[in-house]
Structure formats: C-alpha cells, structure tokens
Amino acid sequence: MKRWIALASAVLAAGTLHAATAKAPAVRISNPELLAALQAPEAALQAARTPLAFDGGASASNCREYADLVQKGPPVESARNFEVRSEYLLCDALRLTAGKPFAAEKPQAAGRQAKSLYERLDLRTFPSSLHQRADAKKHTLKTLLPGAPEYDGGAVAVDTPEQRFRLEVVGTIDQGRGKKPDWIVWVSDESKTGSYRGYSTIVVHPPRTASGPYTAADPARP
C-alpha cells in the first residue's frame, strides 16, 4: 500500500516530465478527470467521497482507503454500494496507472476506441445487466441494445426507454509485452424503470485476430 501511494505521489513530479519527453508513454489518457487527477495525484488520493462499505464494518471515504481495502476483498454488494461505486471508478484508474509515464490521447484515437467498444466488445466477458441477454450471435452493445449510439471522446452510450448503457475508454496501458495496449474502461449500467445502478471498471484486451472481439478482465489482473 505504501509503495502504491509513493508511486502515485511521484506521478506529478516524474510522470508529467516523462509524458513530455518520452517517445512512447506507457499510458495515454482520454478522460479529462483522470488526466487532471494524474497531474495532481495527492489531492486525488485524499479527495473525500461518499463512504463505500466493505466486509467487517470497514468503509472507504477516499482513494487511499479504497486502495487498501479493495486488496483485501470487494465492496459489500448492496443497492447503496452499487450506486456509490461510481465515485470510486477514478480510484481504480489511478491504481492501474500509478507511476507510469503518461500523455493525453489524441481525439481521433479516442473516437476509434469508442467505436470499437460499441461494435466489438464481447459483453459476455464481464458482469452487467446485458450479460444474461448475450449469446453466440448477439453479444455486443451494437447487437443487444436498439437505438443510435452517442459518442463523446472515448465514450459510447446507448439510450433506450428502459436503460442507459455507457462504456468509456479512460486510458490505455502498454504492458511492454509486444502486444497492443490494454484499455481501462468505465462501465455505467443504469435502469430507467427500476432502482438498478451498476458501475464498474474493466480492463479490455485487444483482439487476438484482426476480426476478433475485444474481451474484458478483472482490473486486478490487467
């Protein structure tokens, strides 16, 4: 934990310099909130958030406390926690990008990423309200939800009378393994006819073939 905090605190001093000088930054950021947080990591780590409950009566009220508790186990599954979880997506992204040189993503690249999420992300590979509706023929946002997609930077959303489902690439990470970068993606899954609100962070892996699907993984194992 102390090492993670030290790395995150060093981002402003070292990461920004690297972003300006490195030819190929390890991280490219397309979300303005995340970019601002990486430029002032100490403030982002300590910023007060609505308490998020964990087992044993513990709770997190900032990114530092969240990073410590999430290593021991996931947050309690409750309606209140599912809603509050949206405030901690930034904490997930900070944990994944801490200590790595970063730069802002080009708008054109972010737009292409959003389009790929809409057309090619396999929704069977991570939990959401659409997971159970997916099958071998229909398993992308494009094929599962009717309506025209709304694009905004690295984000794509589909609005229906019953639901709003949004995916956003907030950053890409080059793991240095000779493969295409992985994507850090925020998922927003909101019912308009009930109380369900689902928010999560996933790490999206590139396709293994030119026409293959993008797949998701637990952010603890990018």
Side-chain angles (χ1 to χ4, degrees), residues 2-219:
K2 292 182 178 179
R3 181 174 180 274
W4 184 86
I5 294 173
L7 286 172
S9 299
V11 169
L12 180 59
T16 303
L17 176 60
H18 289 164
T21 59
K23 292 183 179 179
V27 176
R28 291 192 175 277
I29 306 299
S30 51
N31 176 272
E33 182 186 9
L34 176 56
L35 186 60
L38 287 171
Q39 292 169 341
E42 190 62 26
L45 288 170
Q46 298 188 72
R49 304 177 189 280
T50 303
L52 183 71
F54 286 80
D55 287 333
S59 66
S61 58
N62 59 42
C63 284
R64 271 188 170 160
E65 295 172 354
Y66 172 82
D68 186 25
L69 290 171
V70 80
Q71 293 182 63
K72 303 171 185 177
V76 173
E77 293 189 1
S78 66
R80 176 60 173 165
N81 254 18
F82 288 143
E83 184 174 350
V84 172
R85 186 71 177 79
S86 64
E87 297 184 31
Y88 290 82
L89 298 182
L90 180 66
C91 303
D92 291 327
L94 285 173
R95 178 170 58 86
L96 291 167
T97 57
K100 297 178 174 63
F102 65 90
E105 183 61 277
K106 297 178 181 179
Q108 289 182 338
R112 289 194 297 269
Q113 292 164 359
K115 188 172 185 292
S116 294
L117 284 181
Y118 176 67
E119 296 180 348
R120 299 175 61 187
L121 176 60
D122 190 337
L123 300 180
R124 297 172 297 177
T125 59
F126 65 96
S128 79
S129 65
L130 298 179
H131 184 276
Q132 295 300 322
R133 295 163 55 181
D135 56 32
K137 292 184 178 180
K138 294 183 178 181
H139 49 261
T140 64
L141 191 53
K142 181 178 180 178
T143 56
L144 280 174
L145 280 188
E150 304 169 5
Y151 291 101
D152 181 14
V156 58
V158 176
D159 248 323
T160 74
E162 296 80 24
Q163 182 178 16
R164 178 175 174 81
F165 198 94
R166 185 175 186 271
L167 298 165
E168 180 182 1
V169 180
V170 298
T172 63
I173 304 178
D174 185 349
Q175 302 291 333
R177 296 180 293 207
K179 301 178 181 179
K180 293 181 179 179
D182 293 327
W183 299 352
I184 303 171
V185 175
W186 289 346
V187 182
S188 175
D189 183 6
E190 302 172 338
S191 170
K192 294 181 179 180
T193 58
S195 60
Y196 177 77
R197 300 288 188 276
Y199 306 96
S200 61
T201 300
I202 57 175
V203 173
V204 171
H205 299 313
R208 295 183 178 180
T209 62
S211 60
Y214 286 81
T215 56
D218 188 314

